[in-house]
Amino acid sequence: DPVNVWHGLRSSADGESPGLPVYVFGGEHGDVPLEEGAGAMLADVIVDHGISAVLSLRHLSKNKQLAFVAAFGERLYHRKGSEQHRTPLHLVIDEADAYVPQRVFPASAPAVGAIDELVRRGRSSGIGVTLISQRPQVINKDVLTQCEVLIALRLIHKLDRKAVDEWVEAHDVHDQRAEFMASLAGLAVGEAWVWSPGWLDIFQRVQVRDGIITVGRIK
C-alpha cells in the first residue's frame, strides 16, 4: 500500500463496525512501524504465521519503496517454494505502476524482476497476484500480459484504453473485443467488466458492491 489507505479494511464502509482482521505494518494507523530494510523479514513473518497484512509504504521515499518491494517479493517467492509452505496466498499490489513501470530504470529493476517472477511462476507455489492501477498504460507489458483475469472500470485516456486493448487482443477468443472497448469510457462509477476468457470463462458487466468501492477509493 503506497498511499496509506488500506488500513481501512479493518473498518466497515460506514466506519461503525469492524472490518477484516488484518495486521497493519507502517503508516499512521499501523500496529507496528515498517522499516525500509524489513522487506525480507516481513515476507518471513507472513509465510511463517499465515497472517493477512497490509504493508503501508507511504512514509518511505520512492527508491526505498522499490528496495522494500524487491526484497519482500524475492523472499516471498523463494519461501513459498518449499513444500511445507505451498499453501494459497494472494498478494495485492496497489498503484502497481509504481513498482512494475513500463520504463525500467536501475532503481526499479529489482522490484520489477521480483514481481514479474511472482506473476509468471508464483502459481506453482500457491501465490496469486492482483495488480491495481488507474494507468494501465504505464504498467510493464511483460507483466501485464501474464494476467489471466481483467477487471476494468472506466478508462478515459485513450492510451490507457490502448494498453487494455493489447491484453484483449491476446486473450479474446470469442470476438467480444468490440463490445468491451466501446463501453470502457462510458462506464458508471462502480461499474466494471470482469473478463477471464481462458481460466474462468467469464465476460460480464457488473456493479461492484458499495462497501468494496469505498475501500478501493473508486469514489
Side-chain angles (χ1 to χ4, degrees):
D1 173 14
V3 287
N4 193 27
V5 297
W6 286 95
H7 61 84
L9 288 170
R10 296 202 291 197
S11 171
S12 62
D14 61 9
E16 300 296 326
S17 305
L20 301 176
V22 299
Y23 294 93
V24 178
F25 295 89
E28 297 175 355
H29 303 274
D31 299 300
V32 294
L34 184 148
E35 303 295 336
E36 62 186 83
M41 180 190 73
L42 284 175
D44 287 336
V45 169
I46 289 170
V47 172
D48 289 336
H49 298 280
I51 64 172
S52 296
V54 172
L55 307 181
S56 184
L57 308 182
R58 176 67 179 82
H59 61 289
L60 300 179
S61 69
K62 180 64 176 293
N63 284 345
K64 289 178 179 178
Q65 287 187 35
L66 289 168
F68 178 95
V69 169
F72 175 85
E74 183 175 349
R75 180 66 67 89
L76 182 68
Y77 177 77
H78 288 291
R79 286 296 311 279
K80 292 289 290 178
S82 61
E83 189 67 33
Q84 68 269 33
H85 295 304
R86 290 183 184 176
T87 52
L89 179 149
H90 200 90
L91 175 65
V92 179
I93 304 174
D94 195 10
E95 307 293 349
D97 50 275
Y99 305 127
V100 279
Q102 177 61 24
R103 299 179 63 189
V104 180
F105 296 101
S108 61
V112 173
I115 294 174
D116 182 58
E117 193 164 43
L118 286 168
V119 171
R120 288 176 184 268
R121 304 180 181 90
R123 72 191 71 182
S124 64
S125 302
I127 301 172
V129 181
T130 292
L131 305 175
I132 303 175
S133 175
Q134 299 179 56
R135 299 300 313 277
Q137 171 199 353
V138 293
I139 289 185
N140 190 279
K141 300 307 178 290
D142 288 341
V143 176
L144 188 61
T145 55
Q146 299 301 309
C147 296
E148 295 183 335
V149 180
L150 175 68
I151 302 176
L153 290 92
R154 182 171 58 190
L155 290 174
I156 297 175
H157 199 290
K158 64 179 182 180
L159 292 179
D160 289 320
R161 294 199 301 271
K162 180 181 178 181
V164 171
D165 193 25
E166 292 175 0
W167 184 93
V168 170
E169 273 193 302
H171 293 81
D172 184 13
V173 295
H174 300 300
D175 296 323
Q176 296 162 316
R177 175 185 177 193
E179 178 186 0
F180 174 80
M181 294 304 303
S183 66
L184 274 184
L187 293 175
V189 173
E191 192 176 19
W193 278 105
V194 179
W195 196 351
S196 177
W199 179 32
L200 302 176
D201 193 25
I202 290 175
F203 179 69
Q204 187 174 351
R205 192 166 171 170
V206 303
Q207 182 67 39
V208 182
R209 292 202 314 272
D210 182 64
I212 296 175
I213 295 172
T214 303
V215 170
R217 297 172 294 107
I218 295 168
K219 283 189 174 178

